Amino acid sequence: MNGLLAGGSTLLTGADGIPTSLGLFSSEFLGTLVLILLGAGVCAANSLNKSHAKGAGWVAIAFGWGLAVFAAVYVSGPSGAHLNPAVTIGQWVAGNELTKGVPATLGNMLVYFAGQMVGAIVGAIACWLTYKKQFDEPAEDGVKLGVFSTGPAIKSYGWNLVSEIIGTFVLIAFVVASGQTPSGLGPLAVALIVVSIGFSLGGPTGYAINPARDLGPRIAHALLPIPNKGDSNWSYAWVPVVGPIIGAVLAALIVPALLAI
């Protein structure tokens, strides 16, 4: 497939197969779309009334999100499968290329961010379409928003921020230490890291650990015509954006220094 795309493609440049800006955007868009469709999908399956999987529980959610990462990484290999602005920022702070042959310039990073955000919004809309009839059913306050975005078990902005920083630190520490993720055991390893974070660190805030994962679907929730959906909890929305960015920067500064990479 890469050989076919390389010749005259708008997605790859020449015989070296380095993605163009459109190729980077398309890869991050598709990967993040799949991530959110499957991740929000397991939340919908577990939470919405008249879903066959209602009440499946936290184990199903943690594994559902991990497998969503696994699938998403494989379909976004050309861009390095960041799927997450925190990963993109972490690679930049660590002094790494965004993917082979793609330097971490401001322009390239903005392309990544755009693909991730648009993919997250479209993935959330696709989840809503899949569960349209379940979303039409009555639900307790916050349940429908919880399909799209995260929220704290105990509201305390400072400590919620700490939880997101720590969870994202673990994720980015692995990404920076392991290098490019879409090869070898990369996709499975990243998926298992996300499962581990969900089990161990996800209880306080629902472990966004990804600004696009939370903000994109939250925007979709605000825009979609969902009956009795409640508000989108914008007062909390900054936490799962700022926390992951801080966690990514800390991991990218500390891990290379400790491991001499």
Side-chain angles (χ1 to χ4, degrees):
M1 177 63 74
N2 283 354
L4 293 175
L5 289 174
S9 170
T10 59
L11 302 180
L12 300 175
T13 60
D16 55 9
I18 297 173
T20 64
S21 292
L22 179 59
L24 295 172
F25 175 89
S26 299
S27 177
E28 289 295 304
F29 167 80
L30 179 60
T32 312
L33 187 160
V34 169
L35 171 67
I36 300 303
L37 172 59
L38 297 180
V42 72
C43 293
N46 176 73
S47 302
L48 296 178
N49 290 327
K50 299 192 177 178
S51 161
H52 283 309
K54 182 173 172 57
W58 192 255
V59 172
I61 290 173
F63 273 107
W65 273 103
L67 293 173
V69 170
F70 183 73
V73 168
Y74 266 110
V75 301
S76 56
S79 63
H82 290 200
L83 314 173
N84 181 346
V87 172
T88 305
I89 291 169
Q91 295 288 33
W92 167 61
V93 173
N96 297 331
E97 292 183 315
L98 299 181
T99 192
K100 184 177 180 181
V102 179
T105 64
L106 176 60
N108 286 336
M109 291 174 67
L110 290 175
V111 170
Y112 273 73
F113 296 156
Q116 292 155 2
M117 281 298 300
V118 176
I121 293 170
V122 174
I125 292 171
C127 175
W128 169 70
L129 291 171
T130 304
Y131 284 89
K132 170 64 167 64
K133 299 306 291 183
Q134 282 74 28
F135 274 112
D136 288 345
E137 293 292 318
E140 294 181 5
D141 290 346
V143 167
K144 294 180 181 180
L145 175 60
V147 172
F148 291 90
S149 55
T150 62
I154 300 174
K155 187 175 181 179
S156 174
Y157 289 138
W159 289 110
N160 301 152
L161 187 69
V162 169
S163 295
E164 287 293 331
I165 290 170
I166 291 172
T168 310
F169 182 95
V170 172
L171 173 64
I172 304 305
F174 172 81
V175 171
V176 170
S178 65
Q180 300 300 322
T181 58
S183 59
L185 290 176
L188 178 59
V190 174
L192 292 176
I193 289 293
V194 172
V195 172
S196 178
I197 292 170
F199 281 147
S200 300
L201 306 174
T205 61
Y207 69 113
I209 60 175
N210 179 343
R213 172 265 175 274
D214 191 274
L215 183 57
R218 197 181 296 270
I219 292 171
H221 175 269
L223 297 176
L224 287 170
I226 303 171
N228 303 310
K229 64 182 178 181
D231 67 49
S232 299
N233 195 14
W234 288 109
S235 64
Y236 179 79
W238 66 274
V239 172
V241 172
V242 175
I245 291 173
I246 295 173
V249 171
L250 291 175
L253 291 173
I254 293 171
V255 173
L258 292 178
L259 300 183
I261 58 176

